[in-house]
Amino acid sequence: MDLDTVRTFVAAADAGRFQDAAAELAVTQQAVSKRIAALERDLGVRLFTRTPRGAELTIDGQAFLPHARDLLRVAERAVSSVRTGRRPLRVDVIASRSAQSSLMRGFHHAHPEIDLDVVMLFDVATAVAAIRSGTIDASFRAVAMPGRPLPEDIESVRVLDEPLQLLTGPAHALAGARSVPLAQLAGHRIWMPGIVPGTEWAAYYDDLAAEFGLTIEATGPNFGSDALLDTIADTPALATFMSEQTRLVWPAGHGLRRIPVTDPTPVYPHSLLWHRDNPHPALTTLRAHLATTATGHDAVGTWAPDWVVPR
């Protein structure tokens, strides 16, 4: 069914005169008459009766009118769902308790008028494919992986270097330290069951371990953060890395310690990725917001792999 004819029918029904409907739609009265006639042929009924005062709806016209309005509302919602600037800005973050999620909460607080859809995708390859297909508008990632440069149509900018901390239980040998030099961790077991081979965070921790002679274990199933915290609290021989802004809560009896790592401080580098041709106006607003809140990167006394530097 032609939506223009439906729109013309509703305008004529509301106006009560074809001439007034034509003025509202910025077309000729003849065009209104032709559209109404075409719609009547499609439906097989008469919709209007001509009177000296204009045009009145027939019984069939009265029955069709509420459905015609519904058709136009559905069509408008369909267009709005994909129209740039009217649909929500879709942004990917790695996890709900992560620094990227905190950045987006800050953006929402600064710009509550912008509708947001926050999603969580798995790895940089999945995120880049979603950006290129238009499924999402932007993604926070460590850019990128050795031997896997970003496609030419994907732009990136470094927005946050997040320090890693050592998380230990109360009986761990380093539990009482106010800080620990990175080199001192070479003799300790660092357990991180969430590391998935082939991801950008796996590449990051592989390079960190190789650079400083660390023992980072990803053995066993990943039962989530609660199980990780329980194990670290109960096992003196294990510690784990935790990003500074990761928001976790654990029972007071766990006695867990978050210890700064120094000399150098390993930082996890977060970058924003987007498609260079994405016209969503809120994407520009997000980039401007991050430019004012982003911390400096590659600061003296920090470490990150060379491959995370954006083009």
Side-chain angles (χ1 to χ4, degrees), residues 73-90 117 134-135 137 280:
R73 281 194 289 266
V74 169
E76 178 60 25
R77 287 198 297 270
V79 172
S80 297
S81 70
V82 296
R83 182 175 291 160
T84 299
R86 298 186 64 178
R87 65 164 174 78
L89 183 71
R90 303 182 186 117
D117 279 343
T135 304
D137 297 297
H280 201 303

Side-chain angles (χ1 to χ4, degrees), residues 167 169 191 224-235 250-251 254 256:
L167 186 72
W191 187 52
S225 60
D226 288 343
L228 173 66
L229 298 177
D230 290 345
T231 302
I232 295 298
D234 294 338
T235 311
W250 51 78
H254 275 20
L256 293 171

Side-chain angles (χ1 to χ4, degrees), residues 105-188:
R105 287 196 299 271
F107 174 68
H108 178 62
H109 180 75
H111 298 277
E113 75 284 359
I114 294 177
D115 289 333
L116 290 175
D117 279 343
V118 177
V119 301
M120 284 171 278
L121 301 179
F122 182 65
D123 61 8
V124 67
T126 303
V128 167
I131 292 172
R132 300 185 82 186
S133 69
T135 304
I136 62 173
D137 297 297
S139 175
F140 289 95
R141 294 287 155 177
V143 182
M145 286 179 60
R148 298 188 196 175
L150 290 175
E152 289 299 321
D153 55 352
I154 300 297
E155 301 288 348
S156 66
V157 62
R158 190 98 152 254
V159 294
L160 175 67
D161 277 5
E162 184 182 15
L164 297 187
Q165 297 177 335
L166 188 72
L167 186 72
T168 77
H172 192 275
L174 298 173
R178 300 185 62 178
S179 64
V180 56
L182 187 54
Q184 190 175 334
L185 297 179
H188 296 272

Side-chain angles (χ1 to χ4, degrees), residues 188-211:
H188 296 272
R189 295 170 60 199
I190 299 171
W191 187 52
M192 303 189 70
I195 295 178
V196 179
T199 60
E200 68 267 29
W201 61 90
Y204 174 88
Y205 285 109
D206 284 347
D207 279 16
L208 178 62
E211 182 80 13

Side-chain angles (χ1 to χ4, degrees), residues 236-258:
L238 295 180
T240 192
F241 280 128
M242 189 70 61
S243 296
E244 184 179 72
Q245 294 188 31
T246 298
R247 299 165 63 91
L248 292 175
V249 177
W250 51 78
H254 275 20
L256 293 171
R257 314 284 200 270
R258 297 183 75 144

